[in-house]
Amino acid sequence: MKRDKPKFKQIIEAAVVVIAENGYHQAQVSKIAKQAGVADGTIYLYFKNKEDILVSLFREKMGSFIEKIGQEIEGISSPSQKLYVLVEKHFQLLSADRHLAIVTQLELRQSNKELRLRINEVLKGYLRVVDQIVKEGIEKGEFRKDLDVRLARQMIFGTIDETVTTWVMNEQKYDLVALAKPVHELLTRGCSAS
Amino acid sequence: MKRDKPKFKQIIEAAVVVIAENGYHQAQVSKIAKQAGVADGTIYLYFKNKEDILVSLFREKMGSFIEKIGQEIEGISSPSQKLYVLVEKHFQLLSADRHLAIVTQLELRQSNKELRLRINEVLKGYLRVVDQIVKEGIEKGEFRKDLDVRLARQMIFGTIDETVTTWVMNEQKYDLVALAKPVHELLTRGCSAS
Amino acid sequence: MKRDKPKFKQIIEAAVVVIAENGYHQAQVSKIAKQAGVADGTIYLYFKNKEDILVSLFREKMGSFIEKIGQEIEGISSPSQKLYVLVEKHFQLLSADRHLAIVTQLELRQSNKELRLRINEVLKGYLRVVDQIVKEGIEKGEFRKDLDVRLARQMIFGTIDETVTTWVMNEQKYDLVALAKPVHELLTRGCSAS
Amino acid sequence: MKRDKPKFKQIIEAAVVVIAENGYHQAQVSKIAKQAGVADGTIYLYFKNKEDILVSLFREKMGSFIEKIGQEIEGISSPSQKLYVLVEKHFQLLSADRHLAIVTQLELRQSNKELRLRINEVLKGYLRVVDQIVKEGIEKGEFRKDLDVRLARQMIFGTIDETVTTWVMNEQKYDLVALAKPVHELLTRGCSAS
DNA sequence: CATGAATGAGATTTCATTCAT
DNA sequence: AATGAATGAAATCTCATTCAT
């Protein structure tokens, strides 16, 4: 399995750093190779082409992202509380990795449509988690019965994403994690029964 | 003033069509010139460079967008109602111009960071309108006193934007305008006093 | 019509010189552009890609080659005499353009199978002329009635080609045209009646 | 002696198969190694470099080719009859090994000039056999006294080669060996006295 | 004002060969 | 003797921009 070898991760980490520091269009393969401490050609022993690096990057990072959030909310019974942990964890994980935040919020969005479609495939895993929380909330009576699950998900994801993007665009100069509580309040009020 | 001349608008309309139909990265200057019915060199009599076409495109379109929405909500007294009209108008205007929807939601986001920063400058006009509504809502007691204006704006814009993007990605195959009401409900519940 | 413009021929002439002097695999587009006195990009205004330069080169050169030979043998009534003029003209034309001789006999044969197939299409025009001479020879009783036209053509073309190739490989250091007579004698004896 | 070891021949056979099936330019060393069932590096224990594989391939195959033909014509006294056996044997050997026919007639000709020069060195053994037959033919009075040995050899080799190449290009879909008799007739008529 | 032919910088990817194990 | 992971040089083609007409 290629992706278990140390160089696979090594190259992905290098790609995150290079893209964050130079921007998507200035992230040449040779720069990534140099940052990873391997020869240009070595990249192609682990990745099919440049696009494959970027998709793998997103898949690896977002994969562990979804996994971590899944573990955190597993034991929680209240859907509203799950939503809180989701928001907080989302903010925490991106706060903890400034480079990754820049790459996912700004740089990777410059990729072409085909790449973005493949990235969206990965994102669907995240959106399914959100959908699940919303559905549970409706079932358990915490959220409105007439809540449209898809719209609720779009509000939740749209708000979180816009909040993180604004924070990154402001050069991460305020405390993102502190926004978890008020953002959560906005979201639950939008969804909640009563 | 360059931007009053007929060819200025002609080139911008051509750019919208070319980008919508070919995608951002396949929208070469020569294609735009051909679509506009002018020579390549003529473009540079009206625009400083390619980036300038795109920024102008966004400025022109978003400018009239903001203007129209401003006019619509002017006579309304209830902030919540203003928010409703904002959402509905936003959905209506993009529903009416499929090309523009594709360009603003998908294609222009592939531009580089610098261009996106300049586009965001234009967007600020829109965000100021939203901010204004939220502030009025708080003052008039329709929205919570402790509502964070910036977060509320991020929720409102993030939700609207995500909703439109999802609609465009689904090839505009359902009725976007019909979503104005439930989206508005989500947003006001998030903001409202009670 | 692209191929009537002076730069079209200019680039082809440059390609002949560069390939003859540097060899097929050392004939980079940039070298051809430099030799032609144009920018690299200009090449692509006249040719689809590098392969297109080579096919065009062969088509242009072989086309006028076939045309000239056709004109020379037109007024001649004796097929055997036609064959003589064909051989002599073939040797004369390649003797007169040392670079072209190197390119067609040695360098262009290193091209990949696809390119060679397209080159062979052009060659078919030449082979048709040979076939025609052989058929006439049989009809007029100069050549054997039981002569296999295809085999005769293969002998004629194979012998001429091998003779020229050997001459080029020996660095063109003897008089190729002087071989027209004995080569013609070999060929007609092979074909002739009696 | 490296070339007596089993892996030497094993790699050469693998090269013939790989080149015939993939074409000269798609015959990477790693593919040959895989086909031969050895590691890439092992190739370099038996061959100096890639070119050395190809030259060795040609030398081995053409060597046994010349040897077999030599044995066949040894006992024959008539030069014309020797020529017949040469042609027939040549056609038989290539008919019996389709892969080898493709490799020698089409693929190896795509090699660069330097490699082709080294291949020609090997070919000289074959050409010497032809020269010898022609000389004997002249001495014994079967061929013309004024026959130019070099030209006769070029006709003989050129005709045989062109005939085989045409047959390979036509995907070997007719009987090559059946052409031995008419081809021989063409050649002897070209050479013969009377 | 308008044209459009010409420019030329810049990056991905392949693959023969090496060498530590 | 055998392995195979790693190396790194090298070339085609695109397209925004210019400028002579």
Side-chain angles (χ1 to χ4, degrees):
Chain A
M1 199 54 182
K2 282 269 163 71
R3 68 190 50 192
D4 290 337
K5 298 192 179 168
K7 288 213 170 132
F8 182 85
K9 284 175 187 290
Q10 189 176 330
I11 290 165
I12 285 192
E13 295 307 326
V16 173
V17 173
V18 169
I19 294 173
E21 291 184 350
N22 300 275
Y24 180 81
H25 289 292
Q26 281 307 305
Q28 293 87 349
V29 171
S30 60
K31 254 183 211 158
I32 296 174
K34 200 171 185 182
Q35 171 76 25
V38 300
D40 293 17
T42 304
I43 300 267
Y44 292 87
L45 297 176
Y46 295 90
F47 301 90
K48 221 168 75 241
N49 48 36
K50 190 180 175 181
E51 180 179 311
D52 192 30
I53 306 177
L54 304 175
V55 174
S56 300
L57 182 165
F58 200 78
R59 191 185 294 133
E60 287 287 308
K61 292 297 184 180
M62 189 47 77
S64 77
F65 197 101
I66 295 173
E67 203 177 334
K68 275 178 195 158
I69 288 180
Q71 289 169 354
E72 294 282 339
I73 65 176
E74 207 173 1
I76 302 171
S77 57
S78 156
S80 168
Q81 183 60 17
K82 279 186 178 177
L83 191 55
Y84 178 74
V85 173
L86 177 104
V87 175
E88 189 185 37
K89 216 62 205 163
H90 192 132
F91 287 177
Q92 274 176 4
L93 288 170
L94 288 177
S95 282
D97 192 342
R98 312 168 61 82
H99 280 154
L100 184 62
I102 294 171
V103 170
T104 59
Q105 301 304 123
L106 300 185
E107 301 301 342
L108 236 43
R109 313 214 168 177
Q110 305 176 45
S111 56
N112 58 46
K113 227 187 305 187
E114 201 197 347
L115 177 51
R116 286 221 310 295
L117 281 175
R118 297 184 58 192
I119 283 179
N120 275 328
E121 280 307 306
V122 181
L123 256 186
K124 281 187 182 159
Y126 186 83
L127 299 181
R128 267 194 297 270
V129 173
V130 176
D131 271 15
Q132 191 51 38
I133 294 176
V134 174
K135 281 180 194 157
E136 272 182 44
I138 296 171
E139 285 166 15
K140 297 202 173 176
E142 285 189 15
F143 295 162
R144 281 184 286 139
K145 284 219 158 50
D146 61 343
L147 191 63
D148 180 318
V149 176
R150 196 181 57 192
L151 283 187
R153 178 234 295 158
Q154 286 169 14
M155 175 182 67
I156 292 168
F157 183 76
T159 304
I160 291 176
D161 191 59
E162 180 70 16
T163 303
V164 178
T165 298
T166 303
W167 171 74
V168 174
M169 290 242 232
N170 280 291
E171 287 159 343
Q172 317 183 338
K173 61 188 172 209
Y174 51 84
D175 182 6
L176 179 64
V177 182
L179 298 181
K181 199 158 167 299
V183 164
H184 173 250
E185 177 146 7
L186 276 174
L187 299 177
T188 42
R189 278 173 178 264
C191 299
S192 66
S194 83
Chain B
M1 196 59 180
K2 285 271 162 77
R3 69 189 52 188
D4 291 335
K5 302 198 178 163
K7 282 198 180 155
F8 181 85
K9 284 175 187 291
Q10 191 175 329
I11 290 165
I12 285 191
E13 295 306 324
V16 174
V17 173
V18 169
I19 295 173
E21 292 184 348
N22 300 275
Y24 180 81
H25 290 291
Q26 282 306 305
Q28 292 88 351
V29 171
S30 61
K31 250 183 213 159
I32 296 174
K34 199 173 186 182
Q35 171 78 23
V38 300
D40 294 16
T42 305
I43 298 267
Y44 291 87
L45 298 175
Y46 295 89
F47 300 90
K48 221 170 74 236
N49 50 34
K50 188 181 179 181
E51 183 179 307
D52 192 29
I53 307 177
L54 305 174
V55 173
S56 300
L57 183 166
F58 201 79
R59 193 184 292 132
E60 287 288 306
K61 293 296 184 182
M62 189 46 78
S64 76
F65 197 101
I66 295 173
E67 204 176 332
K68 277 177 195 159
I69 288 180
Q71 288 169 355
E72 295 282 338
I73 65 176
E74 207 173 1
I76 302 170
S77 58
S78 155
S80 169
Q81 184 60 16
K82 279 186 178 177
L83 190 55
Y84 178 75
V85 173
L86 176 106
V87 174
E88 189 184 38
K89 219 59 207 162
H90 192 133
F91 287 178
Q92 275 176 3
L93 289 170
L94 287 177
S95 282
D97 192 343
R98 310 168 62 83
H99 278 158
L100 185 62
I102 293 170
V103 170
T104 58
Q105 301 303 124
L106 299 185
E107 301 301 342
L108 277 190
R109 315 218 165 175
Q110 302 176 47
S111 55
N112 57 47
K113 225 189 314 185
E114 200 195 346
L115 176 50
R116 287 219 307 294
L117 282 175
R118 296 186 56 191
I119 283 179
N120 275 326
E121 282 306 307
V122 181
L123 256 186
K124 281 187 182 162
Y126 186 83
L127 298 180
R128 265 193 298 270
V129 173
V130 176
D131 271 15
Q132 191 52 37
I133 295 177
V134 173
K135 280 178 195 160
E136 272 182 44
I138 297 173
E139 283 166 16
K140 296 202 173 178
E142 284 189 16
F143 295 163
R144 282 183 286 137
K145 284 217 160 50
D146 61 342
L147 191 62
D148 181 318
V149 176
R150 196 182 57 193
L151 282 188
R153 176 235 297 158
Q154 286 169 12
M155 174 182 67
I156 293 168
F157 182 76
T159 302
I160 292 175
D161 190 61
E162 180 70 15
T163 303
V164 178
T165 298
T166 303
W167 170 75
V168 174
M169 284 231 204
N170 280 292
E171 287 158 348
Q172 317 182 342
K173 62 188 171 207
Y174 50 84
D175 182 4
L176 179 63
V177 181
L179 298 181
K181 201 162 166 297
V183 165
H184 173 251
E185 177 147 6
L186 275 174
L187 299 177
T188 43
R189 277 175 178 263
C191 297
S192 67
S194 81
Chain C
M1 198 54 182
K2 283 271 162 74
R3 69 188 49 191
D4 290 336
K5 299 194 180 168
K7 288 213 171 133
F8 182 84
K9 284 175 187 291
Q10 189 176 331
I11 290 165
I12 285 192
E13 295 306 324
V16 173
V17 173
V18 169
I19 294 173
E21 291 184 349
N22 299 274
Y24 181 81
H25 288 292
Q26 280 307 304
Q28 292 88 348
V29 171
S30 61
K31 254 182 210 157
I32 296 174
K34 199 171 186 181
Q35 171 77 24
V38 300
D40 293 19
T42 305
I43 301 268
Y44 293 88
L45 297 176
Y46 296 89
F47 300 91
K48 223 169 70 238
N49 50 35
K50 189 179 177 182
E51 181 179 309
D52 192 30
I53 306 177
L54 304 174
V55 173
S56 301
L57 182 166
F58 200 78
R59 191 185 293 134
E60 287 287 307
K61 293 297 184 181
M62 189 47 79
S64 76
F65 197 103
I66 295 173
E67 204 178 335
K68 276 178 195 157
I69 288 179
Q71 288 170 355
E72 295 281 339
I73 65 176
E74 206 172 3
I76 303 171
S77 57
S78 154
S80 168
Q81 184 60 17
K82 278 186 179 177
L83 190 55
Y84 177 75
V85 173
L86 177 104
V87 174
E88 190 185 36
K89 217 63 206 160
H90 191 132
F91 287 179
Q92 273 175 5
L93 288 170
L94 288 177
S95 282
D97 192 342
R98 310 168 61 83
H99 279 154
L100 184 62
I102 294 171
V103 170
T104 58
Q105 301 304 122
L106 300 185
E107 300 301 341
L108 236 42
R109 313 212 169 180
Q110 305 175 45
S111 55
N112 58 45
K113 228 188 300 186
E114 200 198 348
L115 177 51
R116 286 222 310 295
L117 281 175
R118 296 184 58 191
I119 283 179
N120 275 327
E121 279 308 304
V122 181
L123 256 186
K124 280 186 184 162
Y126 186 84
L127 299 181
R128 266 193 298 270
V129 173
V130 176
D131 272 15
Q132 191 52 36
I133 294 177
V134 173
K135 280 178 195 160
E136 272 183 45
I138 296 173
E139 284 165 17
K140 298 202 172 175
E142 284 189 17
F143 296 162
R144 281 184 287 137
K145 284 218 160 48
D146 61 343
L147 191 62
D148 180 318
V149 176
R150 196 182 57 192
L151 283 187
R153 179 234 296 159
Q154 286 169 13
M155 174 182 69
I156 293 168
F157 182 76
T159 304
I160 292 175
D161 191 60
E162 179 71 16
T163 304
V164 178
T165 298
T166 303
W167 171 75
V168 174
M169 289 245 230
N170 281 290
E171 285 158 346
Q172 318 182 340
K173 61 189 172 207
Y174 50 84
D175 182 3
L176 179 62
V177 181
L179 299 181
K181 201 160 167 297
V183 165
H184 173 250
E185 177 147 5
L186 276 173
L187 298 177
T188 42
R189 278 174 179 263
C191 298
S192 66
S194 82
Chain D
M1 197 57 179
K2 283 269 162 79
R3 71 189 49 191
D4 290 336
K5 302 201 178 163
K7 283 201 178 151
F8 182 84
K9 284 175 187 291
Q10 190 175 329
I11 290 165
I12 284 190
E13 295 306 326
V16 173
V17 173
V18 169
I19 294 173
E21 292 183 349
N22 299 275
Y24 180 80
H25 289 291
Q26 282 306 306
Q28 293 87 350
V29 171
S30 61
K31 250 183 212 159
I32 296 173
K34 199 172 186 183
Q35 171 77 23
V38 301
D40 294 16
T42 306
I43 299 267
Y44 291 87
L45 298 174
Y46 294 90
F47 299 91
K48 219 170 75 238
N49 50 34
K50 188 181 178 181
E51 183 178 308
D52 191 30
I53 306 177
L54 304 174
V55 173
S56 299
L57 182 166
F58 200 80
R59 192 185 292 133
E60 288 286 307
K61 293 296 184 180
M62 189 46 77
S64 76
F65 197 102
I66 296 173
E67 204 178 335
K68 277 177 195 158
I69 288 180
Q71 288 168 356
E72 293 283 337
I73 65 177
E74 206 173 4
I76 302 170
S77 56
S78 155
S80 168
Q81 184 59 17
K82 279 186 177 177
L83 189 57
Y84 178 75
V85 173
L86 176 104
V87 174
E88 190 185 38
K89 217 62 208 162
H90 191 132
F91 287 178
Q92 274 176 4
L93 289 170
L94 286 177
S95 281
D97 191 343
R98 310 168 63 82
H99 277 158
L100 185 62
I102 294 171
V103 170
T104 59
Q105 301 303 124
L106 300 186
E107 300 302 341
L108 276 191
R109 314 216 167 177
Q110 301 176 48
S111 56
N112 58 47
K113 222 186 321 185
E114 201 195 347
L115 176 51
R116 287 221 305 295
L117 283 175
R118 294 186 57 191
I119 283 179
N120 275 327
E121 282 306 307
V122 181
L123 256 187
K124 281 186 182 160
Y126 186 84
L127 299 180
R128 266 193 298 269
V129 173
V130 177
D131 271 14
Q132 192 52 35
I133 294 177
V134 174
K135 280 180 194 156
E136 272 182 44
I138 296 172
E139 284 166 15
K140 296 201 172 176
E142 285 188 16
F143 296 162
R144 282 183 288 137
K145 285 221 159 47
D146 61 343
L147 190 63
D148 181 318
V149 176
R150 197 184 56 194
L151 283 187
R153 178 235 295 160
Q154 284 170 14
M155 175 182 67
I156 292 168
F157 183 75
T159 302
I160 292 175
D161 190 59
E162 180 69 16
T163 303
V164 178
T165 298
T166 302
W167 170 76
V168 174
M169 285 233 206
N170 280 292
E171 286 158 348
Q172 316 184 340
K173 62 187 170 208
Y174 51 84
D175 182 4
L176 180 63
V177 181
L179 298 181
K181 200 159 166 301
V183 164
H184 173 249
E185 177 146 6
L186 275 175
L187 299 177
T188 42
R189 278 174 178 265
C191 297
S192 66
S194 82

